[in-house]
Amino acid sequence: MTAPAAHRIRVGIDVGGTFTDAVAIDSATLEIVGRTKVPTSHHHEDGVAHGIVEALDRLLEETGRAAEDVAFLAHGTTQATNALLEGDVAPVGLLGIGTGPGAVPTRRLAGLARLELTPGKRLPLHYAHIADPDDPAAVRAAVEDVRGKGADVLVASEPFSVDAPEGEEAVLRTASAYGLPMTAAHEITSLYGLRKRTRTAVVNAAILPRMLATADLVDASIAAAGVTAPLMVMRCDGGVMALDEMRRRPLLTVLSGPAAGVAGALMQERVSEGVFLETGGTSTDISVIRRGKVAVRHATILGKASYMSALDVRTVGVGGGSMVRVASGAGRTVHAVGPRSAHIAGLPYACFATPAELADAKLATVSPRDGDPDDYVVLDAAGGRYAVTMTCAANALGRIPEDDFAACDPEAARLALSPLAEALGTDVAGAATRVLDAGVREVRATVDALIRDYRLDEDAVVLVGGGGGAAAVTPHVAAASGHTGRIAANAEVISPIGVALALVREQIERIIPGATQEQILGVRNDAEAAVVAQGAVPGEVEVEVTVDPQTNTVRAIATGATELRTQDRTHRADEAERLTAAAASLKSPESAVEVLAATPAHTVYGAERRRRFRRSLRPVRVLDADGVVRLHAADARVATTTVGQAPEVLSELVRQATAYGDGGVRAPALRLLLGSRIADLSGVLEAEPLLALARSELRSRAADEPVVAVVEVRA
């Protein structure tokens, strides 16, 4: 018998290089009800699929749940990333299409065989040309040519196939008789650029057979276990996709490891404006959440630009296990931390030793690996040799809470830093501070650059740390930069939490010069239909549309849940708590903050910020029922209306807030509070398409339903 909805669980499984972590989250309260860890099964005959199923079985056993209690199941995997890093890919048969002058750029695609997978190992690609895609004999001859050279997967590519895909489709219809996995370049991306589009499709195809095999094994095993919830897979842009979609575009799982962590920060920690730092033992992945959305960009794959949108993540070689380095000679100083970690050196952390094991500790310096500098600090003590790390310094300063994954005996932490403090001519606190200062120097510079690059609201930015080494880095970065900082709850399993809570996501990009309202709406509707087809609940899908007039790119990003998220939380923030949170975010006294509007799901707060000799600003914050800031606006106008009256009201608001200048005419950034949703229309710069999108958001809603508009004039 199926458990009541309030007791069903969402399961997230994150396949790492060493361990596969799994968590079970109550669908209603979003509380963790179970977690488990198993070794990643790289060498099992079923590959990583075995570890995924083992983690699920153990999780259900430990939580006392049955397979039918699983409402949502998703996994993230590094398999595609590892395949490219290790050069473990399938030979690709590239079928270029074209005749006459149009065949010249297509034939040049044979040069993709020069793509380097690993030093000295190139992409195994075999090219054959087809002049007429409607000539079955010519197509068969080309397929047999590349098969004879070893191709295990096929890609068809033709210039301008995003507008006229018939040629690629015809080739694949004929080629299907050979039973090989295959794809058309226009199916991978709808953007122009023959070489980049084909390169993206070829890399996707190279990992296709291996990913298909894993998908089939996992799917069959999950079904055999009795789980009826559809299996989802983590994407590299922070969302999940259906297994069938992964079978078509496995490349979307590349770089999905960091995406799982930032998805956890977005969904569990409910960050709307900030920087997420996921710290392991050796490195820290740093990414951005802006206006409640993860920051993505076209990824670089095998050293070349691709058309795959992935999390914009910056990696710094400093983690919880990074070893301290000191300059030799008189007046020793801590000049760097890392990039070598205790794990790489094969040494235990000094702070996790017992005080007895640290007795008679003497400071020494070593080269962790052959060819490394010999300035890495170790302790030779009664219990053996230990590494002095960032985690040791953070514990010595009391920066790591007692219940944290990286917490240790405070006495051991002080003993671990004492020999270094003596060598530096300072006390333990001074030595620990110097270690952390040196360790977070590059991390802080990266955080500052991301805040600047994405123009984050400085008043609202929060730094959130995840990963097992979070407490060794994030608190010190926050203290040094003056930003608010915190460690995510259950930071060590933030990645599987992100997988469990992630929304179905799809992004559609098309280049449409002079796009009309109908064309923009068409891209929007295609994105919405794509996530609904993957299991998202119709009517609950949010679609963000961006129109870039410089590149003529129309982009629609749709997100939605696979079930209605009617959370039955035991505590909702009351009016006083929401006011306090809004005032803190606005950096204004509560007496200066007023409620500007409200819907059943959101409350809008504002304040006035006076400036000498310039117009006053009116910053706005939108808070949800939990008291979490969901929207920031540095200077905005807020209006309340109804669905029936909204078209006329919005038309006037947009007219009044449209900016005119040397850069042309720019419509305001518009966001609508509708029911439980915030419809973000800020990516459209022209008034008519903006209003058309607004009308599409209002359709099928009751005429008397309240609507709140938040309007920002663009600079």
Side-chain angles (χ1 to χ4, degrees):
M1 180 177 176
T2 301
H7 298 290
R8 300 190 78 195
I9 57 174
R10 299 176 64 88
V11 175
I13 303 173
D14 183 58
V15 182
T18 305
F19 291 104
T20 294
D21 291 293
V23 298
I25 296 178
D26 188 289
S27 289
T29 65
L30 300 189
E31 295 177 351
I32 294 180
V33 296
R35 64 172 74 176
T36 193
K37 181 190 295 284
V38 301
T40 296
S41 52
H42 292 297
H43 304 297
H44 191 274
E45 61 181 356
D46 291 340
V48 298
H50 176 78
I52 292 172
V53 176
E54 183 183 5
L56 175 63
D57 289 343
R58 186 175 296 184
L59 193 65
L60 293 176
E61 180 181 352
E62 292 177 358
T63 59
R65 305 299 177 102
E68 57 265 29
D69 294 332
V70 179
F72 176 90
L73 173 62
H75 74 86
T77 176
T78 60
Q79 186 178 20
T81 305
N82 293 342
L84 293 178
L85 290 175
E86 297 164 8
D88 185 12
V89 299
V92 178
L94 174 57
L95 307 176
I97 306 167
T99 186
V104 175
T106 312
R107 290 183 184 277
R108 289 176 180 160
L109 296 175
L112 293 175
R114 292 192 293 270
L115 276 176
E116 191 172 63
L117 292 169
T118 60
K121 185 173 183 179
R122 299 190 183 279
L123 180 73
L125 182 138
H126 309 291
Y127 180 85
H129 196 81
I130 300 169
D132 183 0
D134 294 316
D135 181 352
V139 173
R140 286 194 292 270
V143 173
E144 289 171 5
D145 179 21
V146 296
R147 278 187 73 205
K149 294 173 181 175
D152 291 331
V153 59
L154 303 177
V155 174
S157 183
E158 182 178 21
F160 308 109
S161 62
V162 295
D163 296 323
E166 295 82 8
E168 292 180 357
E169 292 169 348
V171 167
L172 294 188
R173 276 197 304 273
T174 301
S176 63
Y178 292 88
L180 296 178
M182 55 190 185
T183 187
H186 78 272
E187 295 175 338
I188 304 303
T189 175
S190 296
L191 296 180
Y192 294 140
L194 175 65
R195 192 171 186 85
K196 188 184 292 188
R197 181 171 70 251
T198 306
R199 183 168 59 237
T200 305
V202 162
V203 175
N204 181 79
I207 60 175
L208 190 58
R210 181 174 177 179
M211 298 298 288
L212 285 175
T214 298
D216 291 341
L217 283 168
V218 175
D219 196 19
S221 300
I222 295 300
V227 175
T228 57
L231 178 62
M232 313 297 286
V233 184
M234 194 75 199
R235 295 165 52 112
C236 54
D237 56 10
V240 292
M241 58 184 169
L243 194 63
D244 283 345
E245 190 61 30
M246 191 278 277
R247 288 187 172 103
R248 189 169 74 89
R249 293 184 292 171
L251 190 60
L252 287 175
T253 67
V254 173
L255 308 177
S256 63
V262 75
L266 183 64
M267 301 301 295
Q268 175 190 267
E269 297 298 311
R270 318 244 354 229
V271 180
S272 59
E273 193 89 350
V275 178
F276 177 64
L277 303 93
E278 185 166 16
T279 302
T282 304
S283 63
T284 297
D285 291 329
I286 309 170
S287 48
V288 165
I289 297 172
R290 182 176 185 271
R291 301 285 175 98
K293 299 177 178 65
V294 297
V296 299
R297 63 178 179 179
H298 285 158
T300 298
I301 305 292
L302 302 182
K304 302 290 184 180
S306 75
Y307 276 143
M308 184 189 72
S309 292
L311 182 74
D312 183 2
V313 59
R314 318 284 171 88
T315 300
V316 177
V318 174
S322 293
M323 295 174 66
V324 179
R325 299 170 64 184
V326 296
S328 59
R332 277 185 161 184
T333 60
V334 177
H335 72 92
V337 176
R340 293 301 191 198
S341 66
H343 313 79
I344 298 298
L347 296 173
Y349 293 24
C351 61
F352 293 138
T354 65
E357 290 171 328
L358 292 175
D360 303 320
K362 299 290 189 295
L363 194 73
T365 57
V366 300
S367 300
R369 291 284 182 91
D370 290 343
D372 286 346
D374 62 354
D375 56 1
Y376 286 83
V377 171
V378 296
L379 298 182
D380 288 321
R385 173 166 284 183
Y386 301 92
V388 181
T389 67
M390 290 282 287
T391 297
C392 298
N395 272 295
L397 274 183
R399 287 272 170 83
I400 299 184
E402 290 183 9
D403 59 350
D404 191 271
F405 180 78
C408 72
D409 179 352
E411 182 184 355
R414 289 190 292 271
L415 289 172
L417 269 292
S418 292
L420 178 62
E422 183 178 349
L424 297 175
T426 185
D427 58 12
V428 166
T433 299
R434 293 184 195 182
V435 169
L436 294 179
D437 283 345
V440 306
R441 189 180 300 126
E442 188 178 351
V443 176
R444 181 183 173 186
T446 303
V447 168
D448 290 344
L450 284 169
I451 291 173
R452 182 175 60 254
D453 291 349
Y454 283 95
R455 299 181 181 179
L456 300 186
D457 185 342
E458 289 275 4
D459 290 338
V461 166
V462 59
L463 308 185
V464 178
V473 172
T474 300
H476 200 72
V477 175
S481 64
H483 293 298
T484 300
R486 68 172 185 266
I487 304 300
N490 304 293
E492 70 278 9
V493 288
I494 193 70
S495 287
I497 290 172
V499 176
L501 296 179
L503 300 173
V504 182
R505 180 180 171 112
E506 185 59 80
Q507 175 171 312
I508 292 180
E509 292 180 297
R510 295 199 179 116
I511 295 177
I512 310 175
T516 64
Q517 297 177 35
E518 291 74 18
Q519 289 171 318
I520 295 171
L521 286 171
V523 176
R524 179 214 176 276
N525 294 338
D526 287 349
E528 180 177 19
V531 295
V532 170
Q534 295 180 63
V537 177
E540 296 296 316
V541 175
E542 296 186 8
V543 185
E544 177 189 4
V545 177
T546 302
V547 181
D548 187 339
Q550 292 184 321
T551 62
N552 295 312
T553 302
V554 180
R555 179 182 302 109
I557 302 173
T559 54
T562 57
E563 81 285 346
L564 289 174
R565 293 199 166 185
T566 52
Q567 298 168 24
D568 181 24
R569 290 176 178 256
T570 57
H571 174 72
R572 294 285 189 177
D574 58 26
E575 291 182 9
E577 291 171 320
R578 291 198 297 273
L579 176 61
T580 298
S585 180
L586 288 163
K587 291 185 167 50
S588 297
E590 292 184 19
S591 58
V593 177
E594 60 179 321
V595 175
L596 303 179
T599 68
H602 297 98
T603 308
V604 185
Y605 297 88
E608 184 176 14
R609 187 162 298 161
R610 297 184 180 277
R611 301 185 297 174
R612 295 186 64 182
F613 310 119
R614 290 190 290 173
R615 181 182 64 84
S616 296
L617 298 179
R618 297 185 178 277
V620 165
R621 302 289 185 266
V622 177
L623 276 70
D624 65 14
D626 293 315
V628 177
V629 178
R630 305 303 296 165
L631 175 63
H632 308 255
D635 184 26
R637 179 179 175 183
V638 177
T640 301
T641 182
T642 63
V643 168
Q645 297 173 333
E648 183 178 348
V649 172
L650 293 177
S651 180
E652 180 61 19
L653 285 172
V654 169
R655 185 191 67 78
Q656 292 176 2
T658 295
Y660 300 86
D662 294 339
V665 180
R666 305 184 77 188
L670 174 64
R671 298 172 182 86
L672 302 177
L673 277 56
L674 291 163
S676 61
R677 298 169 47 213
I678 300 177
D680 188 346
L681 310 179
S682 61
V684 182
L685 304 179
E686 296 182 3
E688 289 306 315
L690 172 62
L691 293 171
L693 282 169
R695 290 192 295 270
S696 74
E697 294 289 345
L698 299 170
R699 68 171 183 257
S700 77
R701 291 184 174 270
D704 60 350
E705 182 178 347
V707 178
V708 175
V710 180
V711 184
E712 289 184 88
V713 177
R714 299 185 195 270

